[in-house]
């Protein structure tokens, strides 16, 4: 259905809708074990978002691309993507979006097994997100933080972090 939606959005010339469907397809490809194809779709999402002058989708495309690069263990590429994301956010007006960068950088540090730095980045991302009071992505930031605590054998903080996820309402997951 996402491919059909993408085709309809293309036919209508709706760039923002195209970004939505491209990103959804990319995510599905990530989940089903096709990271190379997902990367291509995120790059296309970036291009379409730039053409539509849609900063939100540009940020999302960079973040997802970086996550895929981390999963593929392409840490050098992931770092370049993270740096591009940070620079892009710092040039914009939505400074709290830096949480996207902090989360991606935390994922990179986690993969490099620098758990202390990963925890710092995840905490920073969570504090920025929490300060926004929307809480709509709390679980996205809490889950990797809990994982980092587990990997450092900090079981108490891991437990508290995972319990915080369980206590979220469905709208905040």
């Amino acid at each position: 259905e996402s491919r059909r939606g993408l085709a309809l959005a293309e036919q209508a010339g709706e760039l923002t809708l195209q970004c939505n469907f491209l990103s959804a397809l990319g995510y599905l490809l990530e989940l089903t074990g096709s990271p190379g194809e997902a990367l291509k779709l995120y790059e296309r999402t970036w291009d379409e978002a730039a053409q539509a002058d849609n900063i939100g989708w540009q940020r999302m495309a960079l973040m997802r691309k970086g996550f895929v690069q981390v999963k593929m263990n392409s840490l050098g590429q992931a770092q370049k993507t993270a740096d591009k994301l940070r620079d892009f956010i710092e040039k914009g007006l939505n400074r709290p979006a830096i949480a996207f960068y902090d989360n991606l950088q935390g994922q990179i540090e986690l993969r490099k097994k620098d758990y202390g730095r990963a925890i710092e980045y995840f905490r920073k991302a969570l504090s920025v997100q929490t300060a926004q009071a929307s809480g709509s992505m709390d679980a996205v930031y809490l889950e990797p933080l809990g994982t980092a605590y587990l990997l450092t054998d900090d079981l108490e903080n891991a437990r508290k972090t995972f319990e915080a996820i369980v206590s979220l309402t469905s709208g905040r997951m």
Side-chain angles (χ1 to χ4, degrees):
E1 290 301 313
S2 288
R3 290 188 195 280
R4 186 167 190 279
L6 176 58
L8 288 171
E10 289 170 340
Q11 185 179 359
E14 289 289 334
L15 293 174
T16 299
L17 281 176
Q18 288 176 47
C19 292
N20 190 355
F21 286 110
L22 286 166
S23 184
L25 283 169
Y27 188 66
L28 290 171
L29 288 167
E30 278 183 63
L31 294 175
T32 57
S34 299
E37 291 299 311
L39 278 177
K40 290 177 190 173
L41 287 178
Y42 293 137
E43 288 168 4
R44 188 169 161 206
T45 304
W46 168 267
D47 293 339
E48 300 288 334
Q51 194 175 353
D53 200 26
N54 189 313
I55 294 168
W57 277 114
Q58 287 176 285
R59 273 193 311 260
M60 187 62 70
L62 285 175
M63 184 183 70
R64 294 299 332 158
K65 180 180 175 181
F67 284 164
V68 171
Q69 291 166 330
V70 169
K71 289 178 187 175
M72 295 173 69
N73 214 31
S74 299
L75 299 183
Q77 287 301 111
Q79 188 61 61
K80 287 179 186 175
T81 301
D83 293 343
K84 184 175 180 178
L85 177 59
R86 182 197 60 227
D87 294 344
F88 184 75
I89 291 167
E90 287 177 348
K91 289 177 187 170
L93 297 175
N94 188 357
R95 300 292 179 176
I98 200 69
F100 291 114
Y101 162 77
D102 291 328
N103 194 16
L104 175 54
Q105 192 63 50
Q107 297 288 346
I108 293 167
E109 299 302 334
L110 193 63
R111 183 57 66 109
K112 290 177 2 185
K113 299 183 186 212
D114 190 340
Y115 304 127
R117 287 195 63 190
I119 289 168
E120 287 175 34
Y121 279 108
F122 293 139
R123 280 180 162 167
K124 188 174 169 193
L126 187 61
S127 71
V128 170
Q129 176 66 18
T130 303
Q132 293 307 296
S134 70
S136 63
M137 293 181 61
D138 286 353
V140 171
Y141 299 108
L142 286 167
E143 187 275 331
L145 178 61
T147 299
Y149 282 136
L150 272 178
L151 292 169
T152 61
D153 291 324
D154 185 346
L155 301 182
E156 181 61 21
N157 275 323
R159 181 187 60 75
K160 288 177 183 176
T161 303
F162 289 125
E163 284 178 352
I165 294 172
V166 173
S167 71
L168 295 174
T169 63
S170 62
R172 295 178 65 193
M173 297 178 93

